[in-house]
Amino acid sequence: MSGKYGKVYLIGSGPGDPELLTLKARRLIDSAEVIVYDQLPGKAILESMPASAEKIDVGKYAGNHTMTQPEINELLVQKAKTGKMIVRLKGGDPYVFGRGGEEAEVLVAAGIEFEVVPGITSAIAVPAYAGIPVTHRENTSMVTFITGHEDPTKQETGLDWEALAKFGGTLVILMGVKMLGRNAEQLMKHGKDPSTPVAVIERGTRPDQRVTVGTLLNIAELAKERKVKAPAITVVGDVVNLHAILGEQKVETEF
Ligand SMILES: C[S@@+](CC[C@H](N)C(=O)[O-])C[C@H]1O[C@@H](n2cnc3c(N)ncnc32)[C@H](O)[C@@H]1O
């Protein structure tokens, strides 16, 4: 590692409620000289970035990539080479569908020191705020996290739908709004009971979070009627029934 180079902190900002930001993340954000961010951390956290820092939005919006991943990697390397302290701010946890691992590998290859600051992942916190524990002794002690946005026209899918349909635990699907119908169909086609409870939680832990509950059979239709939009988490499994008992958690922070 070169002493001339700055250090890069890959920071997870949590799912949106600013009070779910870790103390370590807060301290590092407040002392950053450069912050490379996208929109997922949410308005409240982005507005709390220090005025003194250089702020670079590399935000990737569905269908409108402002910067490609290789460009972001290169930017981190170039900024670190100026000797400054860099924060790469990401929603949730940097290593859970956050491409933080790829960025860390690039930094290591370039001889730049880095540190990861884990964040509270939306995969767990968003269902929690919706009254859905992802495991529960009486329902399931298994949970799996998958990405739901694979292109259905792709010949090779990274997801083994047959295994997922047989999996008795909770499925937590990130990035799956557009493919909700296709994903539900895949699970049913491979034998998952169509009456399996499903919840889609939009903008979880934020003041305007919204929960839509249905079954594998009707969730796509319900989501269409309610114009469900990203960012959203889909939970499939019996734990969804706990939503009716535990209820939705009010987001207390004003933001
Ligand atoms: C690129 S992944 C990043 C996940 C992130 N690294 C994490 O650990 O939460 C983006 C997806 O995370 C989920 N997500 C993140 N924040 C969310 C929120 N507040 N409410 C609902 N879904 C959220 C959505 O599925 C979204 O499409």
Side-chain angles (χ1 to χ4, degrees), residues 15 40 91-93 96-98 121-123 126 174-175 201-206 231-233:
L40 200 57
D93 181 88
V96 179
F97 297 121
T121 180
S122 62
V126 167
L174 284 82
M175 298 173 279
I201 309 136
E202 300 165 84
R203 301 175 298 277
T205 82
R206 301 180 189 194
I233 294 273

Side-chain angles (χ1 to χ4, degrees), residues 24 68 161 211:
K24 186 165 186 176
T68 63
W161 287 106
V211 187

Side-chain angles (χ1 to χ4, degrees), residues 44-250:
I45 289 170
L46 296 179
E47 282 178 354
S48 77
M49 295 189 291
S52 56
E54 179 190 359
K55 294 175 271 296
I56 306 170
D57 182 358
V58 295
K60 288 178 279 179
Y61 308 99
N64 178 22
H65 286 221
T66 53
M67 224 186 239
T68 63
Q69 189 62 45
E71 285 167 345
I72 296 171
N73 298 344
E74 182 56 23
L75 177 72
L76 293 175
V77 170
Q78 290 314 320
K79 286 291 172 187
K81 284 186 173 172
T82 65
K84 291 185 173 159
M85 179 210 172
I86 319 294
V87 161
R88 170 67 173 114
L89 191 62
K90 290 170 172 288
D93 181 88
Y95 285 179
V96 179
F97 297 121
R99 304 193 76 166
E102 291 163 56
E103 291 173 10
E105 283 181 293
V106 168
L107 294 169
V108 169
I112 289 161
E113 199 184 347
F114 86 98
E115 200 175 311
V116 63
V117 180
I120 295 180
T121 180
S122 62
I124 294 171
V126 167
Y129 269 49
I132 304 172
V134 293
T135 68
H136 187 285
R137 269 172 74 95
E138 278 158 31
N139 289 278
T140 182
S141 50
M142 297 187 290
V143 59
T144 192
F145 304 115
I146 64 172
T147 166
H149 80 164
E150 286 218 345
D151 181 350
T153 59
K154 230 169 77 174
Q155 291 291 323
E156 295 288 318
T157 169
L159 295 174
D160 182 345
W161 287 106
E162 194 177 346
L164 290 170
K166 285 196 186 113
F167 178 67
T170 307
L171 292 179
V172 178
I173 308 175
L174 284 82
M175 298 173 279
V177 171
K178 278 201 187 136
M179 301 294 166
L180 187 60
R182 193 281 313 245
N183 293 342
E185 266 167 37
Q186 286 291 330
L187 289 171
M188 290 186 286
K189 186 176 130 192
H190 289 96
K192 191 107 184 149
D193 185 343
S195 68
T196 306
V198 181
V200 183
I201 309 136
E202 300 165 84
R203 301 175 298 277
T205 82
R206 301 180 189 194
D208 57 347
Q209 76 178 14
R210 186 171 69 147
V211 187
T212 300
V213 177
T215 62
L216 271 184
L217 192 62
N218 69 8
I219 195 69
E221 196 55 38
L222 284 174
K224 200 170 153 200
E225 271 168 34
R226 289 166 62 95
K227 298 188 171 51
V228 166
K229 287 195 201 75
I233 294 273
T234 304
V235 186
V236 181
D238 289 342
V239 288
V240 169
N241 291 330
L242 289 158
H243 165 75
I245 300 166
L246 303 180
E248 230 179 290
Q249 184 156 314
K250 192 171 160 282

